Amino acid sequence: MKTRAITAFFFTIVMLASVLLGGTVFTLFYLVLSLLSLSEFYKLVKKAEVKPHLLLGYLAGLFLFGGLAARQFFNLDSKYLLLIIPAIFGVFIAELYRKEKNPFTNIGYTFLGLILVMIPFSFYYALGFIKDSEVYNFHFPLAFMLMLWASDTGAYLFGRKLGKNKLFERHSPKKTWEGFAGGVFVSVLVGLIVSFFFKEVNGFVWAGMAVLIVCFGTIGDLVESMLKRSLDVKDSGTLLPGHGGLLDRFDGLLIAAPIVFAYLYLVLY
């Protein structure tokens, strides 16, 4: 418990610093974090005797995130995103030269890492530039982070005290509908508090963002649990003592970030 608490404290400090210290730190931190998470995913699926294309997967992830950063932070032409095309189709070509029994399993898991890890992190990163593509604004990324933490806290507290009805026992036996409702309540409350400080959108929009984060963050958690159960592992990694791996900590972001970005984009534009 002590190790878990210490890790949580430093994790919180680092995450807040990554958002508050400006666009350059935000860009570099999430580029490295997303690639480390992708590496963790590829190591995880190797337990199922899958052999993803590591180099091409990393290159595709780097070009995806890097091309987005070049466009939004450095104001460069989005043509850099085209570099992802040879990396993606190179996976098929590279597999032709392998002598593997299940080639399309390797190809599929290579792409799954990009879809499940790199794309969500890219959408989360894009929240920092959603108001102005050339100017970094920490309000939306910070609010997302606070609401996600509030969701986890509310779900834990309400679930522990009131939880009786299982939410999705097959994939996550401890989650309950009562905990889910508590997560919605606490996250919406944080969203309304945020609305007093960040004026880009009104309180109803922030509250709607909170509801989406809880709903799709919970789904992301369940999807990551389903992945671990299919591979018969407890944690996605060991990088965070007492908490498991990066995917264990960011599972709520995996599906919620693209949904929230789409929601805010439609509201703002």
Side-chain angles (χ1 to χ4, degrees):
M1 183 62 71
K2 183 178 179 180
T3 300
R4 183 179 177 87
I6 293 173
T7 301
F9 174 77
F10 284 104
F11 175 81
T12 302
I13 297 298
V14 170
M15 294 307 300
L16 290 175
S18 72
V19 173
L20 297 175
L21 291 180
T24 301
V25 172
F26 183 68
T27 298
L28 294 176
F29 180 84
Y30 280 95
L31 173 60
V32 173
L33 182 63
S34 59
L35 290 173
L36 286 175
S37 298
L38 181 62
S39 174
E40 185 175 274
F41 174 84
Y42 286 152
K43 289 179 182 178
L44 191 63
V45 299
K46 282 185 176 181
K47 297 181 184 295
E49 298 184 356
V50 175
K51 297 181 180 179
H53 292 266
L54 302 181
L55 179 59
L56 289 170
Y58 296 144
L59 284 175
L62 178 63
F63 293 149
L64 173 63
F65 195 102
L68 187 64
R71 179 178 181 273
Q72 295 187 307
F73 184 64
F74 301 107
N75 197 28
L76 297 179
D77 196 286
S78 57
K79 65 184 179 182
Y80 289 96
L81 285 169
L82 295 175
L83 291 171
I84 196 175
I85 294 176
I88 287 177
F89 286 96
V91 173
F92 292 93
I93 298 171
E95 191 66 33
L96 289 173
Y97 290 90
R98 282 178 162 184
K99 296 180 180 179
E100 299 294 335
K101 185 177 180 181
N102 299 303
F104 282 94
T105 300
N106 300 328
I107 293 171
Y109 274 98
T110 302
F111 292 145
L112 180 59
L114 298 174
I115 294 169
L116 192 62
V117 178
M118 293 304 302
I119 289 178
F121 273 107
S122 296
F123 272 107
Y124 177 75
Y125 169 77
L127 288 175
F129 301 88
I130 193 170
K131 188 70 175 178
D132 186 335
S133 62
E134 298 180 10
V135 179
Y136 171 65
N137 185 337
F138 69 86
H139 290 181
F140 287 114
L142 178 60
F144 184 102
M145 191 182 299
L146 294 176
M147 292 178 197
L148 186 60
W149 290 347
S151 170
D152 291 341
T153 302
Y156 173 77
L157 294 176
F158 279 73
R160 186 177 181 182
K161 295 292 184 181
L162 305 173
K164 293 182 180 179
N165 300 292
K166 300 298 182 181
L167 178 65
F168 216 121
E169 189 171 10
R170 182 158 60 94
H171 294 301
S172 188
K174 294 182 179 181
K175 290 190 180 300
T176 63
W177 282 105
E178 292 81 5
F180 175 80
V184 172
F185 173 76
V186 177
S187 190
V188 168
L189 181 61
V190 169
L192 294 175
I193 294 172
V194 164
S195 70
F196 288 105
F197 299 94
F198 301 157
K199 303 295 185 179
E200 287 84 358
V201 292
N202 61 44
F204 290 105
V205 174
W206 287 116
M209 177 177 168
V211 172
L212 289 176
I213 286 173
V214 178
C215 292
F216 290 97
T218 300
I219 292 174
D221 190 327
L222 291 170
V223 167
E224 201 250 353
S225 294
M226 179 171 64
L227 173 65
K228 290 190 295 184
R229 285 180 177 274
S230 70
L231 299 172
D232 195 27
V233 297
K234 181 181 179 182
D235 297 320
S236 64
T238 58
L239 187 61
L240 302 173
H243 290 264
L246 292 173
L247 295 178
D248 293 319
R249 287 294 85 206
F250 291 98
D251 51 8
L253 179 148
L254 300 180
I255 295 178
I259 298 296
V260 168
F261 179 88
Y263 164 73
L264 290 174
Y265 188 86
L266 292 173
V267 168
L268 292 171
Y269 300 101

